[in-house]
Amino acid sequence: MNGFVHLHIHSEFSLLDGANRIKDLPVRAKELGMNAMAITDHGAMFGAIDFYKACKANDIKPIIGCEVYVAPRNRKDKDPNLDARYSHLILLAKDNQGYKNLATLVSLGYTEGFYYKPRIDHEIIEKYHEGIICLSACLAGEVNQAILANDMEKAKEVALWYKSIFGEDYYLEIQNNGIKEQVLANQKLIQLSRELDIPLVATNDAHYLKREDAYNHEVLLCIQTGKRMTDEDRMKFDTDELYVKSPEEMSDYFKNVPDAIENTVKIAEKCNVEFEFGHTILPNYDVPQEFATHYDYLEKLTYDGLKNRYGENPSKEILERTEYELSVIKKMGYVDRPVPTPKPNEVLVKLEYIGICGSDMHYYETGAIGDYVVKPPFVLGHEPGGVVVEVGSDVSHLKVGDRVALEPGKTCGHCEFCKTGRYNLCPDVIFFATPPVDGVFQEYVAHEADLCFKLPDNVSTLEGALIEPLAVGFHAANQGNAHAGQTAVVMGAGCIGLVSMMALKAEGVSKVYVVDIMQKRLDKAMELGADGVINGKDEDAVEAVMKLTNGAGCDLAIETAGTEFTTRQCIHMTKKGSNIVLVGYSKTGEMNLPMSLVLDKELTFKTVFRYRNIYPMAIEAVASGKVNLKGIVTDIFDFDDIQKAMDKSVEDKANIVKAVIKM
């Protein structure tokens, strides 16, 4: 950790007082050579998540804090003569328990202590102090207020009380930001520090990013107080030094008390809050037996509350608003989903990555694929990779901690297709994200252990999630009897086209060319090992293939685009006696093809429906380096951004080849 860390900073969430944009703070910290920084907005933590993400993105350690308001008496007292004044206090979360306690304190400030400001008090500070570091704050802090009132006994009393609560995690905060009262306060704070054995810490109460931003901050204060910049009696700070100063500036300002600078680093090292994104944490509510669903119970509670608030005959407007909001809740399908318990032959997997498939996008866009219609609540996703966290009693080949790829379809095991090894054709298959079966855009899933394949040490769970589409590619290659010495063409450079290309190369096919109309996807194909690419928008694909093969045509064509036009091209570009493998689904389900030419060339059409007996082969191909599966991933989204991920995948197909959700 570098020599100084800012522990007192206000962002735009210190409304009309903080002129720092959250996105700019970690960037500035990096520019100044710092590797940690705190956020301490007034009375609120609304910016904590954005700040955390912005810091992580810039390799800056985020420290989550708040400058709370402390009531002079009890937080619930609201006598204007006694309780209109309040003091400031800086609280920083050391760990996740401290973060929870800090969030609780801030929430109670709003729900129980709000009087002009969201106030807390000594009672709840003592109750929820665990995991929190406390700084005495600016001139508005309790200790400084006593000092400025020339009441040193009171200052000692307050300081010793906080020390009794926070112990070695309580610090007296000194500042040097051009405010004249601060000079006296610092002298007394240093004196108190030595007398009471309470460590010092240096901060700068940064309300704006650079010195030249002081004017912008004054404008904010005018807006806050309803004043003009020309008003002589307007609220203002008689300094332009409330900015994010460099470590060198801070060290120079406090060269007489170097321990105050050193302690900023010690505090930063103590603060280690880690947020886990990717799943929603909601409370579980028990529903009385007389209600069939959570929604039924919610509806009953809603109308009971409506009656209590508005009487027996609420207005039409209120009724319509209530019905609308309930309909939104019902449509979105908000339900409680407990962590599943694995059956004896199952394992419980904590998912880490889930790929977004074309079928997910189609369900998302249209709500149906053929006869499979989505009825909320419904969970999408069928390309998972994760870690085993619980093992059923009959499972012996997997253990807790194993990283696995999940084959998403459970078959009946006794139909003619299952018995002959063609289980992908089982009519009774239960497949993730195929209505009415939920998918895996969720934190945990219980799945049949025989369908969970252990990953080698050099294969990540990200790659594990992509074994599913790779299995489609290998099945396509197998259906086409791909082998060494062949020249093959893949129509389409989306995810399935790319994995088909890589599967062909892994099977030893000598030359593999890829056709698409999106240059970015063709560039990706070349990156992943294609022997050549053809942009169908710029040239005739059939002519190009014939030229590449000296007029002979290709030995094998795999069609993944799902269009009549590209299927016709496959017929024209293949040799006599060749195989054409159809993987892509056409939108209409019907095509008009030149069957006379098909007959003359004695072409064989093979089709692909998912895959069978492929996962071990696909995993070995990745482990051996034959397939660069990570290479197809163009975008990774946090689970919290899943709607953004789906929207972008649907709307930006030219740039997104494969999107993955990180749990």
Side-chain angles (χ1 to χ4, degrees):
M1 193 83 58
N2 289 348
F4 173 77
V5 177
H6 277 286
L7 300 173
H8 190 152
I9 293 182
H10 296 278
S11 79
E12 66 243 57
F13 286 97
S14 291
L15 298 181
L16 299 178
D17 191 15
N20 287 307
R21 297 280 190 183
I22 281 178
K23 64 181 179 64
D24 297 330
L25 283 168
V27 175
R28 184 58 176 164
K30 204 164 191 174
E31 290 173 352
L32 296 173
M34 293 180 282
N35 48 22
M37 173 179 275
I39 185 173
T40 56
D41 284 314
H42 286 304
M45 298 172 64
F46 305 130
I49 301 300
D50 288 344
F51 178 76
Y52 181 93
K53 289 182 176 180
C55 285
K56 289 290 188 179
N58 287 277
D59 199 27
I60 298 294
K61 183 179 184 179
I63 301 168
I64 308 301
C66 183
E67 185 166 17
V68 297
Y69 299 102
V70 182
R73 301 189 296 164
N74 187 281
R75 66 190 181 280
K76 298 178 182 179
D77 293 335
K78 296 179 181 179
D79 186 325
N81 297 315
L82 299 172
D83 302 303
R85 293 185 61 83
Y86 42 80
S87 55
H88 294 198
L89 192 70
I90 297 292
L91 301 178
L92 306 172
K94 286 173 63 176
D95 49 30
N96 283 38
Q97 182 58 51
Y99 175 77
K100 291 177 182 178
N101 281 335
L102 180 56
T104 299
L105 287 168
V106 171
S107 297
L108 290 172
Y110 279 95
T111 58
E112 295 183 356
F114 197 93
Y115 187 60
Y116 295 98
K117 299 288 185 181
R119 308 169 306 155
I120 61 175
D121 58 23
H122 285 196
E123 177 192 356
I124 55 175
I125 290 173
E126 184 173 4
K127 184 176 181 180
Y128 297 106
H129 74 278
E130 185 181 349
I132 292 176
I133 293 172
C134 179
L135 317 184
S136 61
C138 57
L139 290 174
E142 288 178 81
V143 175
N144 277 327
Q145 287 183 344
I147 290 172
L148 295 177
N150 201 28
D151 190 347
M152 290 303 297
E153 288 304 312
K154 178 68 174 178
K156 288 180 185 180
E157 178 189 330
V158 171
L160 287 172
W161 184 86
Y162 279 107
K163 182 181 180 181
S164 73
I165 301 301
F166 293 96
E168 64 180 15
D169 288 328
Y170 177 61
Y171 294 80
L172 293 173
E173 185 175 348
I174 58 175
Q175 301 177 353
N176 188 345
N177 44 33
I179 300 173
K180 62 181 181 180
E181 291 87 356
Q182 192 72 59
V183 177
L184 171 64
N186 284 350
Q187 292 173 355
K188 299 297 184 181
L189 287 166
I190 293 171
Q191 178 184 324
L192 280 178
S193 169
R194 307 312 185 214
E195 183 179 338
L196 305 177
D197 193 27
I198 299 174
L200 295 168
V201 63
T203 72
N204 200 56
D205 198 3
H207 286 249
Y208 39 90
L209 204 64
K210 300 177 181 179
R211 186 189 295 271
E212 56 264 34
D213 297 326
Y215 180 84
N216 298 335
H217 181 246
E218 288 192 50
V219 172
L220 282 181
L221 293 178
C222 284
I223 297 171
Q224 179 193 147
T225 56
K227 296 288 187 177
R228 299 177 181 272
M229 291 290 287
T230 53
D231 292 342
E232 293 184 2
D233 63 340
R234 64 182 174 89
M235 175 186 174
K236 63 177 296 186
F237 291 103
D238 293 323
T239 180
D240 61 356
E241 294 195 26
L242 301 176
Y243 63 94
V244 181
K245 292 177 178 176
S246 69
E248 293 76 19
E249 288 177 289
M250 293 298 293
S251 296
D252 185 59
Y253 284 141
F254 296 100
K255 56 188 175 185
N256 62 320
V257 279
D259 53 314
I261 296 294
E262 294 165 4
N263 284 335
T264 67
V265 177
K266 292 179 180 179
I267 291 171
E269 290 173 344
K270 290 182 183 180
C271 295
N272 295 288
V273 172
E274 292 290 338
F275 291 153
E276 183 180 355
F277 300 108
H279 64 280
T280 304
I281 303 173
L282 294 173
N284 183 51
Y285 294 99
D286 294 326
V287 176
Q289 290 185 346
E290 62 264 31
F291 297 95
T293 67
H294 283 76
Y295 178 80
D296 294 335
Y297 187 43
L298 172 65
E299 189 176 46
K300 196 265 184 186
L301 292 175
T302 300
Y303 282 104
D304 285 350
L306 197 70
K307 188 185 295 183
N308 291 335
R309 176 166 290 192
Y310 299 105
E312 294 290 339
N313 296 299
S315 68
K316 181 182 177 183
E317 182 183 9
I318 290 172
L319 286 172
E320 287 178 349
R321 182 68 189 183
T322 302
E323 290 167 1
Y324 170 75
E325 293 189 6
L326 282 171
S327 72
V328 170
I329 293 171
K330 188 173 185 179
K331 182 180 179 182
M332 295 300 294
Y334 292 123
V335 295
D336 297 318
R337 295 184 184 273
V339 175
T341 300
K343 298 174 182 176
N345 67 331
E346 293 181 336
V347 293
L348 180 66
V349 179
K350 188 177 189 302
L351 301 176
E352 292 189 346
Y353 291 94
I354 304 114
I356 296 177
C357 177
S359 64
D360 295 321
M361 291 187 280
H362 200 80
Y363 280 128
Y364 183 72
E365 281 187 280
T366 66
I369 297 177
D371 295 332
Y372 296 103
V373 179
V374 171
K375 295 181 180 179
F378 186 71
V379 181
L380 293 172
H382 64 262
E383 300 177 1
V387 179
V388 175
V389 294
E390 188 176 343
V391 176
S393 58
D394 294 345
V395 178
S396 58
H397 69 286
L398 291 172
K399 65 182 186 300
V400 172
D402 284 345
R403 295 170 307 106
V404 291
L406 283 66
E407 187 169 342
K410 300 179 186 179
T411 57
C412 72
H414 53 76
C415 70
E416 64 172 297
F417 301 105
C418 289
K419 289 181 177 180
T420 57
R422 298 173 294 163
Y423 64 82
N424 58 315
L425 303 178
C426 174
D428 297 319
V429 65
I430 298 172
F431 201 90
F432 288 147
T434 301
V437 182
D438 276 340
V440 291
F441 284 159
Q442 49 189 318
E443 189 177 5
Y444 295 94
V445 65
H447 198 50
E448 191 172 309
D450 287 342
L451 296 173
C452 297
F453 296 84
K454 185 178 178 180
L455 299 172
D457 291 342
N458 66 333
V459 178
S460 67
T461 52
L462 170 61
E463 293 164 307
L466 302 175
I467 296 297
E468 201 275 344
L470 181 60
V472 176
F474 269 108
H475 188 41
N478 291 346
Q479 287 287 81
N481 190 29
H483 56 266
Q486 288 182 315
T487 295
V489 175
V490 178
M491 305 297 288
C495 173
I496 296 301
L498 292 175
V499 294
S500 296
M501 180 272 293
M502 290 191 289
L504 291 170
K505 297 294 291 186
E507 295 278 27
V509 175
S510 301
K511 296 287 184 181
V512 183
Y513 300 102
V514 179
V515 180
D516 205 294
I517 59 173
M518 300 179 186
Q519 190 58 47
K520 190 168 183 176
R521 293 191 171 196
L522 293 172
D523 294 340
K524 176 63 70 172
M526 288 298 296
E527 176 189 323
L528 295 174
D531 294 286
V533 295
I534 300 164
N535 192 322
K537 187 171 60 176
D538 299 330
E539 58 183 319
D540 186 296
V542 175
E543 290 181 4
V545 170
M546 299 308 289
K547 185 176 180 180
L548 288 166
T549 58
N550 295 317
C554 59
D555 302 293
L556 169 64
I558 295 182
E559 203 293 312
T560 71
T563 71
E564 180 178 313
F565 181 75
T566 50
T567 305
R568 283 173 167 268
Q569 287 183 314
C570 289
I571 294 170
H572 285 281
M573 69 176 56
T574 47
K575 288 180 182 177
K576 290 184 177 183
S578 298
N579 290 332
I580 297 175
V581 182
L582 302 180
V583 184
Y585 278 76
S586 73
K587 289 185 177 180
T588 64
E590 297 182 359
M591 292 184 184
N592 293 312
L593 302 176
M595 295 309 296
S596 294
L597 182 59
V598 172
L599 293 169
D600 290 345
K601 295 176 93 173
E602 201 172 81
L603 300 175
T604 299
F605 281 93
K606 300 297 289 286
T607 60
V608 165
F609 183 70
R610 295 174 181 158
Y611 37 78
R612 54 180 177 260
N613 308 306
I614 297 289
Y615 264 54
M617 176 199 303
I619 292 171
E620 192 281 328
V622 177
S624 65
K626 293 179 181 178
V627 172
N628 175 15
L629 202 47
K630 287 182 180 178
I632 68 171
V633 178
T634 51
D635 297 80
I636 297 178
F637 296 87
D638 288 334
F639 187 66
D640 287 347
D641 296 324
I642 191 167
Q643 184 168 344
K644 177 183 175 183
M646 296 300 296
D647 289 338
K648 196 170 179 182
S649 296
V650 169
E651 297 165 2
D652 193 18
K653 294 176 182 176
N655 292 305
I656 297 182
V657 176
K658 186 67 177 181
V660 174
I661 302 299
K662 182 181 180 184
M663 301 299 290

